[in-house]
Amino acid sequence: MTTLLGCIADDFTGATDLAGLLARSGVQVSLRIGIPDTPPRDTAPFEVIALKCRTAPVAAAVSDCRAALSWLQAAGASRFFWKYCSTFDSTPEGNIGPVAEALMDDLGCAQTIYCPAFPENGRAIFMGNLFVGRQPLAESPMKDHPLTPMRDSNLMRLLDPQVTRPVGLVDRLTVARGAVAIRDALARLGQEGVAHVVVDAVADEDLDAIAESCRDMPLMTGGSAVAMPLPALYRADGALAADAPRMETPVLPRAAVILSGSCSAMTNAQVAAYRDTGAPALRLDPLELADHGHQQALDWLSAQDLDKAPLIYATAEPDSVRAAQDRLGRARAGEIVEEALAACAMAARDRGARRFVVAGGETSGAVTQALGVDRLDIGREIAPGVPWTFCETGGHRIALTLKSGNFGAPTFFTDALEAL
Ligand code: ADP
């Protein structure tokens, strides 16, 4: 069906986060990995394009986002959402502001809002200042981020050098008075020529009021949470028909494989918990892989009963990761593991696996690339921020869940398999 809302996300996990929150409403959401190279076909009411432009040079980010906008316009969307991190990850050059301004120019719109608040995850904005839990952004661990160190907590000051037009604020005192008050304040700012408006939000009710007041803006920008109320708002006023396509849960063969390349503390706990269930499991050692390749893993996999959902993991404790990195170098150690897990994914698919659980952000990138997956239809959430998705690979429909780092409970792997 024609797309209602077209979303552009500046990284992959940000896109899955947004797609998952939109899909909580039960509406059909489709996530594209990169800008599709074919014209829109078979589109969902909510489309999310995942880009990789958070820290790209400004000109490249702007040109990617404009190309994504054109594709979404061709899909029929007339409202758009620019999604960035809830910690406003950016530098004085960009890319949040320059992309927003370019999209506004293309859409001919004079004003947009900036609302990275995500109260459920402890991100709140008060008087234009962003908090991470109880800490101002600039006192949070984000101050030491390797690529986008956030050394100021004030969103107006952060945004100002990134844009050419005036920046303003709708503060919490207004937001607390509801959607009409917010709309009036935005109109007043518009008359003063304020194009870029930071909007305070400390609770979900604030986001509901903001989404209600801005739902017809051609462009909204923010974290994922402020977009979450939109499907229900579109449904209430008929923009989203009652019989619009719903999220699907296809029935797929049981054959499954679990591939884990994340070394986060939570993934280590998840691997241990899954091993404790007695399920078949193979540990990959990067040093072994460097010396002997990954044929042994493929041989092990080919002897497994995929109905028992075997686990192949490189997940290891920090000491062991460090040892591998010291010998191979950080990048090479990562690549070797990603190549092995990607090869296992293809082999499992060719042997009939139709359910894939993947742990690790980079690992997910390697696996989706190997499987040639470019579109994910979002399904039911397994854990906050981690939905099942459905996609095509090698002519087969499969279920795929991509879990980054610390997401999910210790029982995530069994939770995922049981949720299908
Ligand atoms: P996360 O989402 O937890 O950050 P990622 O998949 O993004 O997980 O990153 C983990 C990186 O560590 C990947 O590049 C992976 O290949 C690499 N890796 C996995 N296991 C090991 C290991 N035992 N030693 C060294 N590197 C590893």
Side-chain angles (χ1 to χ4, degrees):
M1 85 166 250
T2 304
T3 298
L4 280 177
L5 182 72
C7 307
I8 303 169
D10 67 354
D11 85 341
F12 182 73
T13 44
T16 46
D17 169 20
L18 172 63
L21 291 190
L22 290 169
R24 276 189 190 175
S25 63
V27 76
Q28 194 190 2
V29 181
S30 140
L31 188 162
R32 315 277 172 163
I33 303 174
I35 304 159
D37 45 22
T38 52
R41 201 176 54 85
D42 193 17
T43 51
F46 290 78
E47 287 280 344
V48 181
I49 296 183
L51 298 178
K52 212 171 170 174
C53 64
R54 183 167 295 169
T55 54
V58 176
V62 164
S63 110
D64 280 0
C65 290
R66 295 179 68 184
L69 178 73
S70 298
W71 190 91
L72 292 165
Q73 284 176 309
S78 55
R79 299 163 186 138
F80 302 88
F81 192 86
W82 163 226
K83 154 76 175 76
Y84 38 81
C85 191
S86 63
T87 43
F88 212 71
D89 301 15
S90 56
T91 68
E93 287 74 46
N95 292 330
I96 294 175
V99 166
E101 218 157 50
L103 299 179
M104 289 167 79
D105 289 345
D106 285 1
L107 292 168
C109 84
Q111 191 183 61
T112 190
I113 62 153
Y114 295 78
C115 186
F118 196 161
E120 198 179 316
N121 283 351
R123 313 285 194 268
I125 312 168
F126 186 68
M127 297 299 160
N129 293 280
L130 182 59
F131 291 81
V132 178
R134 293 181 173 194
Q135 288 174 314
L137 176 65
E139 292 169 35
S140 78
M142 280 306 296
K143 71 182 188 302
D144 301 315
H145 190 280
L147 301 174
T148 49
M150 302 307 291
R151 298 281 163 78
D152 195 342
S153 306
N154 185 287
L155 294 175
M156 284 98 76
R157 273 199 306 262
L158 287 166
L159 191 56
D160 192 63
Q162 298 186 29
V163 292
T164 61
R165 294 191 280 275
V167 175
L169 172 70
V170 173
D171 73 28
R172 160 82 178 144
L173 303 180
T174 302
V175 172
R177 286 175 23 234
V180 175
I182 298 169
R183 204 173 298 138
D184 290 348
L186 288 169
R188 255 192 324 275
L189 288 167
Q191 281 158 11
E192 293 162 17
V194 176
H196 305 283
V197 186
V198 172
V199 185
D200 277 355
V202 300
D204 283 344
E205 300 77 71
D206 297 340
L207 297 176
D208 290 340
I210 296 164
E212 191 183 336
S213 64
C214 299
R215 40 152 302 158
D216 289 323
M217 271 188 168
L219 178 71
M220 287 171 67
T221 90
S224 51
V226 73
M228 189 162 54
L230 293 174
L233 290 165
Y234 293 169
R235 212 178 253 138
D237 70 3
L240 182 64
D243 60 354
R246 311 279 301 177
M247 169 198 292
E248 58 159 357
T249 307
V251 179
L252 293 164
R254 269 173 66 90
V257 68
I258 302 174
L259 302 165
S260 180
S262 158
C263 295
S264 72
M266 182 50 82
T267 308
N268 269 287
Q270 288 160 343
V271 165
Y274 193 67
R275 289 184 48 117
D276 284 348
T277 66
L282 176 72
R283 188 176 88 88
L284 299 180
D285 173 359
L287 298 174
E288 286 270 319
L289 291 173
D291 291 340
H292 306 293
H294 53 248
Q295 186 57 44
Q296 215 190 337
L298 297 179
D299 293 343
W300 181 85
L301 183 61
S302 70
Q304 298 307 307
D305 175 1
L306 296 179
D307 283 357
K308 294 197 175 130
L311 162 69
I312 301 179
Y313 65 100
T315 304
E317 298 289 343
D319 283 348
S320 149
V321 173
R322 219 169 295 119
Q325 290 176 340
D326 285 349
R327 218 193 91 194
L328 302 167
R330 174 191 294 263
R332 185 74 198 124
E335 271 165 27
I336 289 174
V337 169
E338 285 165 35
E339 279 163 23
L341 291 172
C344 290
M346 284 191 289
R349 175 195 66 192
D350 295 343
R351 279 202 55 228
R354 297 293 177 261
R355 305 174 180 201
F356 291 74
V357 179
V358 183
E362 293 299 322
T363 308
S364 295
V367 169
T368 47
Q369 196 170 17
L371 293 178
V373 169
D374 55 9
R375 171 189 181 153
L376 303 170
D377 291 314
I378 308 300
R380 192 166 338 127
E381 230 174 3
I382 304 160
V386 202
W388 268 112
T389 73
F390 304 99
C391 57
E392 300 277 337
T393 168
H396 303 287
R397 193 94 180 129
I398 61 162
L400 175 65
T401 182
L402 306 167
K403 181 199 85 82
S404 72
N406 281 315
F407 282 45
T411 51
F412 179 80
F413 296 151
T414 37
D415 294 348
L417 296 170
E418 279 167 11
L420 271 188

